[in-house]
Amino acid sequence: MKKLIYLKYGELTLKGKNRVNFIDCLYRNTIKALSQYNLNIVKHFDCMTIYEINDKNIESIVTILKRIPGIFKIIIAYEINNNNLSNVGNFVVDLIKEKNFNSFKVETKRHDKSYPINSMDFSKQIGGIILKNIENKQVKMNNFDLLITIEIKEKSAICYFESINGFGGFPVGISGKTLVLISGGIDSPVAASLLMKKGMHIDFLTFITPPHTSDKALEKVKLLTKKITLNCLLDQSKLFVCNITHIQNELAHMKDSSYQITLMRRYFFRIAEYLMNKYKYDAIATGESLGQVASQTIQSMQTIESVLKPGTIVLRPLLSYDKLEIIKLSKEIDTYEISIQPYSDCCSLFVPKQPTTKPTIGKALELEKDLELVNDLYQRTLKKYIKIID
């Protein structure tokens, strides 16, 4: 008998001819994420198994596994080397005789279709062995206390009693590269995590405006990126930090202050597109949620995004989420408490008292034209005011 962690792939099983590539990617990611432990990780076509586990590490290993995109179910299980029915039955009896239960159900999954006993009959006979060896127990098909699941493999059987939900989705790195605009708020970290769930490698871009924004605001963003990537165990992500103080100071002289956040975000997108082209990203991503704030109306998104060249993709994974849904997700990925720390980013600091909710491209271009220095400051920012933190 071997104790193991048994991992189910879930959505990867739909990938047909590309399935092997997805499994290989998930296998590499899992080895990297668990590199601090001395484990034997084995990949199979339909699952992954982890052996040589120290019991004292199981909880921390499972915590990491729950965050790895591509894993659907995490199961603490026992592998029986001989799948003979009586051998399996006696083993199950030994496993459960100290458990506190009155009723049970046995559920068998026969992966080896050549096995001489079908799944239903195997479950019935295992149930009979349990009833014979443990007194005062009963079988129930519904509302049972204990579910005993047995999976019959070619030369072995795996037994377990419960499963833990994994993160699901696809392994990180299988779907391309995205540059995520991240602030210190609640939304953008959640957006980044959802993109990882769909297999995207992510790097981050944040904007600072010292002395208006503090060093603590930047440290907050760094903490968020580490939390999202589990200190780069899930993804070896970079953080681009762009100082736009000079641009922001020029935008403060606008004739129509209601457009200030619109023009600021237009420069965010210009800078993001510059980095996207330089470092070969497939897309830009934001934490925008439709209608949540003034800069996230359809008209605002259209006006802000119009600075990008045709064909540039902007991903907005939170577009249809409401705030409560986003908060729930932020708590699940453990970024919420960091996000609500009271250190303001440049987006929240420079929001005008009455921001426009229906900006037009024509008006934005007109206002930018009046700001004579802003384009020179933009070019200077690209050359001098972007640094990379690995």
Side-chain angles (χ1 to χ4, degrees), residues 182-194:
I182 186 169
S183 67
I186 295 170
D187 300 347
S188 51
V190 175
S193 186
L194 290 177

PDB file of all heavy atoms in Angstrom, residues 182-194:
ATOM      1  N   ILE A 182      -1.736  46.350 -13.724  1.00  0.00           N
ATOM      2  CA  ILE A 182      -2.121  46.063 -12.342  1.00  0.00           C
ATOM      3  C   ILE A 182      -1.999  47.318 -11.487  1.00  0.00           C
ATOM      4  O   ILE A 182      -1.023  48.058 -11.566  1.00  0.00           O
ATOM      5  CB  ILE A 182      -1.266  44.913 -11.745  1.00  0.00           C
ATOM      6  CG1 ILE A 182      -1.788  44.540 -10.348  1.00  0.00           C
ATOM      7  CG2 ILE A 182       0.215  45.259 -11.727  1.00  0.00           C
ATOM      8  CD1 ILE A 182      -1.196  43.248  -9.800  1.00  0.00           C
ATOM      9  N   SER A 183      -3.037  47.560 -10.698  1.00  0.00           N
ATOM     10  CA  SER A 183      -3.017  48.632  -9.709  1.00  0.00           C
ATOM     11  C   SER A 183      -2.957  47.976  -8.339  1.00  0.00           C
ATOM     12  O   SER A 183      -2.769  46.766  -8.223  1.00  0.00           O
ATOM     13  CB  SER A 183      -4.280  49.488  -9.837  1.00  0.00           C
ATOM     14  OG  SER A 183      -5.417  48.723  -9.458  1.00  0.00           O
ATOM     15  N   GLY A 184      -3.152  48.753  -7.306  1.00  0.00           N
ATOM     16  CA  GLY A 184      -3.189  48.166  -5.971  1.00  0.00           C
ATOM     17  C   GLY A 184      -4.586  47.789  -5.533  1.00  0.00           C
ATOM     18  O   GLY A 184      -4.803  47.459  -4.367  1.00  0.00           O
ATOM     19  N   GLY A 185      -5.549  47.822  -6.455  1.00  0.00           N
ATOM     20  CA  GLY A 185      -6.934  47.560  -6.107  1.00  0.00           C
ATOM     21  C   GLY A 185      -7.293  46.090  -6.080  1.00  0.00           C
ATOM     22  O   GLY A 185      -6.442  45.205  -6.172  1.00  0.00           O
ATOM     23  N   ILE A 186      -8.587  45.836  -6.008  1.00  0.00           N
ATOM     24  CA  ILE A 186      -9.098  44.471  -5.889  1.00  0.00           C
ATOM     25  C   ILE A 186      -9.181  43.776  -7.241  1.00  0.00           C
ATOM     26  O   ILE A 186      -8.911  42.574  -7.367  1.00  0.00           O
ATOM     27  CB  ILE A 186     -10.500  44.492  -5.226  1.00  0.00           C
ATOM     28  CG1 ILE A 186     -10.392  45.011  -3.786  1.00  0.00           C
ATOM     29  CG2 ILE A 186     -11.142  43.112  -5.239  1.00  0.00           C
ATOM     30  CD1 ILE A 186     -11.736  45.293  -3.137  1.00  0.00           C
ATOM     31  N   ASP A 187      -9.513  44.522  -8.306  1.00  0.00           N
ATOM     32  CA  ASP A 187      -9.915  43.907  -9.571  1.00  0.00           C
ATOM     33  C   ASP A 187      -8.762  43.310 -10.381  1.00  0.00           C
ATOM     34  O   ASP A 187      -8.840  42.164 -10.823  1.00  0.00           O
ATOM     35  CB  ASP A 187     -10.653  44.939 -10.433  1.00  0.00           C
ATOM     36  CG  ASP A 187     -11.901  45.487  -9.754  1.00  0.00           C
ATOM     37  OD1 ASP A 187     -12.322  44.898  -8.739  1.00  0.00           O
ATOM     38  OD2 ASP A 187     -12.439  46.492 -10.224  1.00  0.00           O
ATOM     39  N   SER A 188      -7.715  44.087 -10.614  1.00  0.00           N
ATOM     40  CA  SER A 188      -6.675  43.624 -11.541  1.00  0.00           C
ATOM     41  C   SER A 188      -5.952  42.361 -11.065  1.00  0.00           C
ATOM     42  O   SER A 188      -5.609  41.514 -11.906  1.00  0.00           O
ATOM     43  CB  SER A 188      -5.687  44.749 -11.847  1.00  0.00           C
ATOM     44  OG  SER A 188      -5.204  45.354 -10.675  1.00  0.00           O
ATOM     45  N   PRO A 189      -5.701  42.159  -9.761  1.00  0.00           N
ATOM     46  CA  PRO A 189      -5.121  40.879  -9.360  1.00  0.00           C
ATOM     47  C   PRO A 189      -6.016  39.682  -9.684  1.00  0.00           C
ATOM     48  O   PRO A 189      -5.533  38.617 -10.074  1.00  0.00           O
ATOM     49  CB  PRO A 189      -4.939  41.043  -7.846  1.00  0.00           C
ATOM     50  CG  PRO A 189      -4.833  42.502  -7.629  1.00  0.00           C
ATOM     51  CD  PRO A 189      -5.774  43.111  -8.629  1.00  0.00           C
ATOM     52  N   VAL A 190      -7.329  39.872  -9.523  1.00  0.00           N
ATOM     53  CA  VAL A 190      -8.262  38.790  -9.855  1.00  0.00           C
ATOM     54  C   VAL A 190      -8.235  38.517 -11.360  1.00  0.00           C
ATOM     55  O   VAL A 190      -8.223  37.357 -11.795  1.00  0.00           O
ATOM     56  CB  VAL A 190      -9.691  39.137  -9.395  1.00  0.00           C
ATOM     57  CG1 VAL A 190     -10.678  38.074  -9.849  1.00  0.00           C
ATOM     58  CG2 VAL A 190      -9.741  39.283  -7.880  1.00  0.00           C
ATOM     59  N   ALA A 191      -8.216  39.573 -12.168  1.00  0.00           N
ATOM     60  CA  ALA A 191      -8.141  39.408 -13.620  1.00  0.00           C
ATOM     61  C   ALA A 191      -6.895  38.631 -14.008  1.00  0.00           C
ATOM     62  O   ALA A 191      -6.936  37.731 -14.862  1.00  0.00           O
ATOM     63  CB  ALA A 191      -8.160  40.773 -14.305  1.00  0.00           C
ATOM     64  N   ALA A 192      -5.764  38.962 -13.384  1.00  0.00           N
ATOM     65  CA  ALA A 192      -4.509  38.263 -13.679  1.00  0.00           C
ATOM     66  C   ALA A 192      -4.613  36.782 -13.342  1.00  0.00           C
ATOM     67  O   ALA A 192      -4.177  35.915 -14.111  1.00  0.00           O
ATOM     68  CB  ALA A 192      -3.365  38.907 -12.902  1.00  0.00           C
ATOM     69  N   SER A 193      -5.215  36.488 -12.201  1.00  0.00           N
ATOM     70  CA  SER A 193      -5.359  35.093 -11.781  1.00  0.00           C
ATOM     71  C   SER A 193      -6.243  34.309 -12.746  1.00  0.00           C
ATOM     72  O   SER A 193      -5.962  33.152 -13.077  1.00  0.00           O
ATOM     73  CB  SER A 193      -5.936  35.049 -10.365  1.00  0.00           C
ATOM     74  OG  SER A 193      -5.973  33.731  -9.876  1.00  0.00           O
ATOM     75  N   LEU A 194      -7.325  34.932 -13.220  1.00  0.00           N
ATOM     76  CA  LEU A 194      -8.206  34.259 -14.181  1.00  0.00           C
ATOM     77  C   LEU A 194      -7.510  34.004 -15.508  1.00  0.00           C
ATOM     78  O   LEU A 194      -7.760  32.984 -16.171  1.00  0.00           O
ATOM     79  CB  LEU A 194      -9.468  35.095 -14.395  1.00  0.00           C
ATOM     80  CG  LEU A 194     -10.439  35.164 -13.208  1.00  0.00           C
ATOM     81  CD1 LEU A 194     -11.609  36.091 -13.531  1.00  0.00           C
ATOM     82  CD2 LEU A 194     -10.951  33.779 -12.824  1.00  0.00           C
TER      83      LEU A 194
END
